[in-house]
Amino acid sequence: MFAKEKTIMVEDHVRFICKRTVVSTRSIEPGRLYQFSVLDHVMEPNHIRLVYYYRSSKTREPGEITKKLRESLAYTLNCYPIVTGRLVKETDGTEEKEDVNLRWKVKSNDAGVRMVEARAAGSVEEWLRSVNREEELKLVHWEDMYQLHYYWSTFNVQVTEFERGGLAIGLSCSHLLADSVCAMMFIRAWADLTLSRSMMAPPLFHPLPPRRFANERLVSNNQLISQYIKSCSLMVSPSNVSEDHMVTVTLLFPDPLVRAGENESEISTFEILAGLFWICVSRAKGKRNELMNMSLCLDVRNLLRLDQSYFGNCMIYHRVPYSKPVKTKDKMLLFHAVEEIQNITKRLDYDTVMDLIEWLSSNNTGSICNGSDLVCTNIENMSHPRPVMFEEDLVLSHVSCYVKGPVAGGGQVIVLPSPSGKGPKSRVVMVSLPEREMVKVVEDELLLSFSPVVLMKNTKQIYNQ
């Protein structure tokens, strides 16, 4: 069931034990090709990293829980043949070409996923109190593809046991195959199968909704298409900000709607938080009479009448225009910003998204690049009454999410559901920015008026008080 293991290195507080290849327990249809959608192809150069932290009230032998998770992962992969396959560029399903103009597909061969097993010093609670961005990313194994794409695993799993109790499960995957919702649903499916030996929400593999009659006026009438034309034409170049200078702060907002003085059902928590950080980050970047460019990243499964278990990219990026002159110290600015965000979220509908899909299907575009935009991602809909639980004694305490690549823009704000017991309207927000800007954001009086609770500061220079 498992390929040979490879012992790897020790790095600071995390000790890497070995790297394995985990394959499914059931034979699959060899040679089957899985095609990507147009929403998949525009995400090609990017990847996703998740970390799930669990507290434990039970004492186990070292490696005991890792062994169980490794075995249940193999059973989980039975339902994910696209995850265990390998990337190829083919014209007719038989002959592989090296033409750069050809697009990727997945060839089903059950080559498996990479799994790294590791140990970390201390407890998971101690780790969460002192971890920074660089340390946290050591809990998520990732390998760049380079040239040997047929041997490259698009999904990677890392299980890290803490010596004094607790567990971290890291998942990384190519954004070409899946978005953040898919990645989180994979973790949930794996947890369900580990705990109850049944998968409550198996993945659904099918194309996006079929194309309709062509509409020659798509581009002129659709702001979303206009944005993708510009974003897909941007050259992907190294950021002006070194990755070493990026820091991440995770905040809990107990009830943003109440803090904003808004109880209207028409305004969502995400819209309030997106407006809040749009203003604060604009101020931190030195904007005085304008707001910076911001793109919303929104899950459109419901708009396209797709189930949440749909496997594939189904999140779109939509820039929020703000052409009116503003004063960033204006007390009413938050409400104006939220109004502009609502103009995007409320007008986004089935036809608008299908127009984009049809346009992408008819045009050979590059990958989307958000340049220096602030990108605000909404995955608050991943809240669920049933927690992601692998074992009865393993209690989920925190989830971190990173999107890496040109789609991430010049800074990221990711809105996540809050931990259980924190209230239905509370939210967790991960903010990733250059450190010099982050220092200003966390001291912004508008942000502080929402009384956020620091969950993870991810840098020693911030929130030292």
Side-chain angles (χ1 to χ4, degrees):
M1 183 169 64
F2 308 113
K4 65 178 182 179
E5 64 182 66
K6 177 183 177 182
T7 302
I8 47 185
M9 58 182 291
V10 175
E11 189 173 354
D12 297 334
H13 302 297
V14 180
R15 180 165 54 96
F16 298 100
I17 307 300
C18 67
K19 179 167 66 174
R20 307 174 188 260
T21 299
V22 181
V23 299
S24 56
T25 64
R26 193 171 59 209
S27 60
I28 51 98
E29 179 185 351
R32 178 179 176 182
L33 289 176
Y34 291 88
Q35 297 189 3
F36 294 118
S37 75
V38 290
L39 295 182
D40 294 326
H41 284 297
V42 296
M43 300 303 296
E44 180 180 330
N46 307 279
H47 68 274
I48 298 165
R49 303 190 196 188
L50 301 175
V51 186
Y52 282 64
Y53 292 96
Y54 288 88
R55 301 191 308 272
S56 177
S57 58
K58 180 179 178 180
T59 302
R60 292 182 173 87
E61 291 295 322
E64 178 185 344
I65 185 62
T66 297
K67 181 176 183 293
K68 181 171 183 177
L69 292 178
R70 185 172 68 242
E71 292 172 350
S72 64
L73 175 61
Y75 283 97
T76 303
L77 294 176
N78 291 337
C79 295
Y80 289 88
I82 192 172
V83 169
T84 59
R86 291 296 182 262
L87 293 176
V88 295
K89 289 185 176 181
E90 295 188 335
T91 54
D92 57 5
T94 58
E95 182 182 1
E96 185 173 346
K97 304 288 185 181
E98 292 301 328
D99 188 341
V100 294
N101 293 320
L102 298 178
R103 288 190 159 184
W104 292 113
K105 300 177 183 179
V106 168
K107 189 172 185 178
S108 178
N109 60 2
D110 202 17
V113 302
R114 300 286 184 262
M115 179 174 180
V116 169
E117 300 174 13
R119 305 281 189 275
S123 66
V124 71
E125 293 88 352
E126 293 168 340
W127 174 276
L128 289 171
R129 284 197 294 268
S130 61
V131 67
N132 58 40
R133 177 187 174 97
E134 290 72 29
E135 289 291 317
E136 180 167 61
L137 290 176
K138 293 174 185 176
L139 302 182
V140 197
H141 178 68
W142 173 254
E143 297 176 1
D144 290 318
M145 181 167 62
Y146 301 113
Q147 296 180 345
L148 300 176
H149 58 82
Y150 200 73
Y151 300 97
W152 181 66
S153 177
T154 56
F155 271 65
N156 301 273
V157 170
Q158 180 172 328
V159 177
T160 305
E161 296 183 18
F162 288 85
E163 294 174 351
R164 294 175 57 185
L167 181 75
I169 297 176
L171 173 72
S172 67
C173 66
S174 168
H175 220 318
L176 177 63
L177 275 75
D179 57 21
S180 301
V181 172
C182 285
M184 291 181 171
M185 290 299 289
F186 179 87
I187 294 285
R188 176 172 289 279
W190 180 17
D192 287 345
L193 196 141
T194 306
L195 181 66
S196 62
R197 298 187 178 182
S198 63
M199 196 175 292
M200 306 297 183
L204 300 176
F205 300 97
H206 56 73
L208 292 170
R211 297 182 65 183
R212 307 159 302 174
F213 292 107
N215 183 350
E216 296 181 356
R217 302 194 318 177
L218 288 180
V219 177
S220 60
N221 294 339
N222 192 316
Q223 291 182 355
L224 184 58
I225 293 178
S226 300
Q227 179 188 338
Y228 269 72
I229 291 174
K230 295 177 183 177
S231 298
C232 291
S233 64
L234 288 177
M235 296 296 294
V236 177
S237 58
S239 172
N240 293 328
V241 181
S242 169
E243 185 70 19
D244 292 337
H245 296 150
M246 294 292 287
V247 295
T248 301
V249 171
T250 306
L251 304 169
L252 171 67
F253 288 83
D255 197 337
L257 291 175
V258 171
R259 296 287 180 179
E262 287 291 340
N263 290 308
E264 299 180 18
S265 58
E266 294 82 9
I267 299 180
S268 72
T269 306
F270 169 76
E271 290 162 350
I272 288 288
L273 292 172
L276 171 65
F277 282 98
W278 192 12
I279 294 169
C280 294
V281 177
S282 294
R283 289 173 175 172
K285 289 182 178 291
K287 304 289 185 182
R288 290 294 175 263
N289 298 313
E290 61 180 345
L291 295 178
M292 67 179 297
N293 291 330
M294 181 178 73
S295 290
L296 304 178
C297 179
L298 306 171
D299 183 10
V300 294
R301 283 170 174 79
N302 284 340
L303 287 179
L304 297 182
R305 301 149 199 169
L306 298 174
D307 190 87
Q308 193 178 50
S309 296
Y310 167 80
F311 192 93
N313 282 281
C314 209
M315 301 185 79
I316 57 95
Y317 292 83
H318 202 314
R319 179 173 284 184
V320 185
Y322 200 99
S323 56
K324 294 180 290 188
V326 301
K327 293 187 179 297
T328 56
K329 293 295 184 180
D330 185 350
K331 293 182 179 180
M332 296 299 294
L333 181 57
L334 177 59
F335 302 103
H336 296 319
V338 170
E339 185 179 33
E340 295 294 335
I341 292 169
Q342 279 196 308
N343 286 337
I344 297 299
T345 58
K346 302 303 182 188
R347 292 178 185 175
L348 196 62
D349 57 17
Y350 179 89
D351 289 329
T352 303
V353 178
M354 284 304 301
D355 286 348
L356 171 66
I357 292 172
E358 291 174 11
W359 182 84
L360 290 171
S361 301
S362 303
N363 295 269
N364 188 17
T365 65
S367 302
I368 188 170
C369 175
N370 283 316
S372 59
D373 286 10
L374 176 67
V375 178
C376 193
T377 302
N378 183 7
I379 44 180
E380 62 178 358
N381 63 332
M382 292 307 293
S383 61
H384 199 283
R386 183 168 45 83
V388 181
M389 184 179 293
F390 287 86
E391 292 272 84
E392 293 288 352
D393 70 295
L394 292 176
V395 179
L396 181 64
S397 59
H398 184 75
V399 177
S400 290
C401 176
Y402 296 89
V403 177
K404 311 271 282 185
V407 78
Q412 290 185 79
V413 175
I414 301 179
V415 180
L416 297 146
S418 61
S420 59
K422 299 297 183 181
K425 294 183 179 179
S426 63
R427 295 292 183 270
V428 170
V429 180
M430 285 188 68
V431 187
S432 297
L433 291 168
E435 186 168 357
R436 64 181 181 277
E437 295 171 7
M438 184 71 82
V439 171
K440 297 177 183 178
V441 168
V442 298
E443 294 176 349
D444 192 286
E445 57 185 11
L446 180 59
L447 178 72
L448 295 176
S449 70
F450 280 73
S451 302
V453 178
V454 182
L455 298 182
M456 293 174 65
K457 56 188 177 184
N458 275 11
T459 177
K460 296 178 181 179
Q461 284 73 33
I462 295 175
Y463 281 117
N464 273 334
Q465 62 270 25

